[in-house]
Every structure is written in structure tokens, then in C-alpha cells.
């Protein structure tokens, strides 16, 4: 699944190649998928988008917004898989959940094997959508300050049993983080995913805040994770520290073999020697 760094990379690249392109045709979902949700019928989507001009793209949390002017915004939410640009005369993918064809012969496709939302909103209405309307500050935002994070942790302590991993990835308390990038954040902060938020010391809070900001920044600068691809099908340049390949290998800090556990619905990779 895409986290904020991958979506920010896609938005940046879209703004390099898509603005000014005019939609010639638009196709929704030629491969049925019960976990891809649309808010328009295929015919409605095609009729509403035909002749619109691509404007600016932006990422916020786990949502990608692409202006189609005048008057509409295409959104991809909680999406994983591939979002790809195809140059003029380049072959289009046979399977897709979204395909925009432009008048210059280029196209944009999106495909997922997991889940996601593909929606077309009247401009402005996308901001009132659940998960977007009340979205908290994202880790790349100027609002995501140390005092803000301290207040967020204090709020989280009211939820009985809240742990570090649940703070990072559940309920979108910190929008844009997923299980993958959370592993590196917890490693950088020397914290076990099961560590209770109520038991975080002041120093541990500061370390966690710094790890969030630094890890997200490094992943964004790298163009996203290496296990995802960008708009042009290239792997991201950020190499994860804690992933399946790390299991059994010595920790780069203390030498203890890395372990894998299942926790809160997903795999966690941790060093039992220096994450506590």
C-alpha cells in the first residue's frame, strides 16, 4: 500500500508531466474488484471527465488529489498497486481500475490487487469526504510540531491499551503512515511496537517524534520505498531497514538477530536487543 512518501512522489511527478493534458476518454475498472470502490458509474465518469484539462496534483495523508478542470477533482484514497503514466503511443496495461486517455496519445492508469477508492468529486466536495474532512496534520506538515505531537500522545493515552504501533498506524492519528514505514520509525526510535503509549518516557516521546519526521523525510527524498514503483514504473530509492529480508540478520546497532512477529493485523520486524 502507498504511504505518504509514495503518494507525494506520484503527485510531484504528475505535476511534471500531466498539467494541460485534455481527457479524450476515461474508463473505470475493466477488471471487477470487490474492494475497489467508485462513486460514479462508468458511463457517468466517462461523460463528466471527457474534455476536462488536468490541473495540479497533491497528496495528503493516504489520499491523492488530481484537479480536472473546470470543476472536478479525481481522488485515489487508501490505494496500493500501481499508478502509471504512459507516454504517447506507449502500450496501455490490459488490466486497470482507472484509465485516463489524453488527446496527445498519452494516458494514466491505476491498478490495485488490494483495495482503494477511485472517486470523482465536484471541486471542493472532496474536502468534505470522510477521512479527508477531519484529517489531522501529516508528518510533512508545518503543523506537525513537537508540541502538537506531545498533545497527540497525551490524547492517545486515554485509549486503554494504545501501543506505539497503534499510535502510528491505527485510526489515522498520524495520517499517511502505514505498517511498512512504521517498522523503520519504531526501529529508529528504539521502541518495541507493543510498548504502551502510557509508559513512554519524555525522552522516548522525543525520540519517536524525531524518528517520524526523519524517516518520512528520507523516504520522500528517496522517491518512496523500494518495494513500490513511481509514476514511471521505477522502484523508489528508499531502502527499508526493517522488512522481511532483515529477519535473522544481525541488528546494525547491537548485533542481535532481527525477529518477525505478528501484531495488530500485520507483520512487525524488530530487534529484541535494542527495541524496548
Amino acid at each position: 500500500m502507498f504511504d505518504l512518501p509514495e503518494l507525494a512522489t506520484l503527485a510531484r511527478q504528475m505535476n511534471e508531466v500531466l498539467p494541460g493534458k485534455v481527457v479524450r476518454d476515461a474508463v473505470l475498472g475493466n477488471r471487477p474488484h470487490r474492494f475497489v470502490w467508485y462513486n460514479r458509474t462508468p458511463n457517468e465518469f466517462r461523460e463528466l471527465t471527457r474534455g476536462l484539462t488536468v490541473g495540479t496534483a497533491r497528496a495528503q495523508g493516504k489520499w491523492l488529489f488530481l484537479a480536472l478542470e473546470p470543476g472536478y477533482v479525481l481522488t485515489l484514497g487508501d490505494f496500493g498497486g500501481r499508478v502509471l503514466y504512459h507516454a504517447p503511443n506507449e502500450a496501455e496495461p490490459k488490466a486497470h481500475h482507472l484509465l485516463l486517455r489524453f488527446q496527445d496519445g498519452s494516458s494514466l492508469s491505476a491498478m490495485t490487487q488490494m483495495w482503494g477508492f477511485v472517486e470523482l468529486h465536484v471541486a471542493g466536495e472532496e474536502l468534505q469526504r470522510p477521512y479527508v474532512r477531519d484529517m489531522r496534520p501529516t508528518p510533512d506538515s508545518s503543523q506537525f510540531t513537537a508540541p502538537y505531537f506531545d498533545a497527540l500522545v497525551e490524547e492517545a493515552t486515554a485509549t486503554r491499551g494504545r501501543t506505539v504501533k497503534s499510535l502510528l498506524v491505527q485510526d489515522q492519528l498520524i495520517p499517511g503512515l502505514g505498517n511498512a514505514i512504521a517498522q523503520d520509525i519504531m526501529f529508529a526510535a528504539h521502541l518495541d511496537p507493543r510498548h504502551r503509549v502510557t509508559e513512554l518516557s519524555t525522552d522516548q516521546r522525543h525520540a519517536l517524534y524525531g524518528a517520524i519526521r526523519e524517516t518520512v523525510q528520507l523516504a520522500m527524498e528517496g522517491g518512496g520505498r523500494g518495494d513500490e514503483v513511481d509514476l514511471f514504473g521505477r522502484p523508489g530509492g528508499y531502502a527499508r531497514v526493517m522488512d522481511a529480508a532483515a529477519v535473522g540478520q544481525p541488528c546494525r546497532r547491537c548485533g542481535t538477530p532481527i525477529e518477525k512477529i505478528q501484531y495488530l493485523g500485520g507483520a512487525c520486524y524488530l530487534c529484541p536487543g535494542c527495541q524496548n
Side-chain angles (χ1 to χ4, degrees):
M1 295 295 292
F2 294 136
D3 292 339
L4 175 60
E6 290 74 51
L7 291 174
T9 297
L10 289 172
R12 173 177 54 78
Q13 293 174 329
M14 285 180 175
N15 288 331
E16 294 171 356
V17 298
L18 294 185
K21 292 182 182 290
V22 178
V23 178
R24 173 174 60 85
D25 189 29
V27 183
L28 284 185
N30 70 354
R31 291 293 188 274
H33 193 314
R34 62 183 297 187
F35 296 117
V36 175
W37 298 278
Y38 305 98
N39 69 336
R40 307 283 184 176
T41 66
N43 286 339
E44 183 182 22
F45 187 82
R46 174 178 284 112
E47 291 303 315
L48 288 174
T49 56
R50 184 176 292 143
L52 297 183
T53 301
V54 178
T56 302
R58 68 180 182 87
Q60 183 180 359
K62 289 197 171 188
W63 289 78
L64 179 65
F65 305 91
L66 179 64
L68 296 178
E69 300 167 343
Y72 288 92
V73 175
L74 175 66
T75 68
L76 297 179
D78 279 331
F79 204 86
R82 292 174 180 255
V83 178
L84 299 172
Y85 171 72
H86 311 281
N89 302 317
E90 182 180 326
E92 299 171 349
K94 294 181 179 180
H96 52 77
H97 294 118
L98 168 71
L99 180 64
L100 294 181
R101 296 188 176 106
F102 303 112
Q103 289 183 356
D104 67 353
S106 64
S107 59
L108 177 75
S109 68
M111 178 72 180
T112 181
Q113 293 183 344
M114 301 183 72
W115 60 82
F117 297 90
V118 180
E119 300 176 348
L120 182 70
H121 293 278
V122 173
E125 290 184 357
E126 79 282 1
L127 302 177
Q128 300 305 313
R129 193 204 184 283
Y131 302 111
V132 176
R133 180 177 58 241
D134 299 317
M135 189 181 296
R136 296 169 183 261
T138 57
D140 62 330
S141 165
S142 61
Q143 296 175 290
F144 196 84
T145 62
Y148 167 80
F149 183 71
D150 282 339
L152 180 63
V153 172
E154 287 297 325
E155 177 186 337
T157 60
T159 301
R160 185 176 181 181
R162 178 77 72 180
T163 61
V164 170
K165 181 180 176 181
S166 66
L167 174 69
L168 294 178
V169 304
Q170 288 189 326
D171 305 322
Q172 284 298 284
L173 293 176
I174 307 177
L177 301 185
N179 188 61
I181 197 169
Q183 306 305 311
D184 283 8
I185 291 171
M186 291 183 288
F187 178 73
H190 295 247
L191 288 169
D192 188 296
R194 299 161 293 192
H195 191 115
R196 292 187 180 275
V197 172
T198 54
E199 298 172 0
L200 288 172
S201 68
T202 299
D203 286 345
Q204 287 173 323
R205 287 189 187 191
H206 292 167
L208 183 56
Y209 171 74
I212 294 169
R213 293 283 290 198
E214 181 177 3
T215 304
V216 170
Q217 180 179 353
L218 287 173
M220 292 180 72
E221 290 174 352
R225 307 190 313 268
D227 51 357
E228 299 286 358
V229 300
D230 66 10
L231 193 67
F232 306 105
R234 304 173 304 207
Y238 176 78
R240 291 173 58 190
V241 177
M242 301 298 275
D243 59 10
V247 177
Q249 299 300 311
C251 171
R252 61 175 61 185
R253 283 194 302 241
C254 71
T256 305
I258 301 301
E259 295 182 354
K260 175 184 176 181
I261 63 171
Q262 290 293 326
Y263 181 60
L264 291 183
C268 288
Y269 308 98
L270 71 151
C271 173
C274 61
Q275 285 181 256
N276 48 58

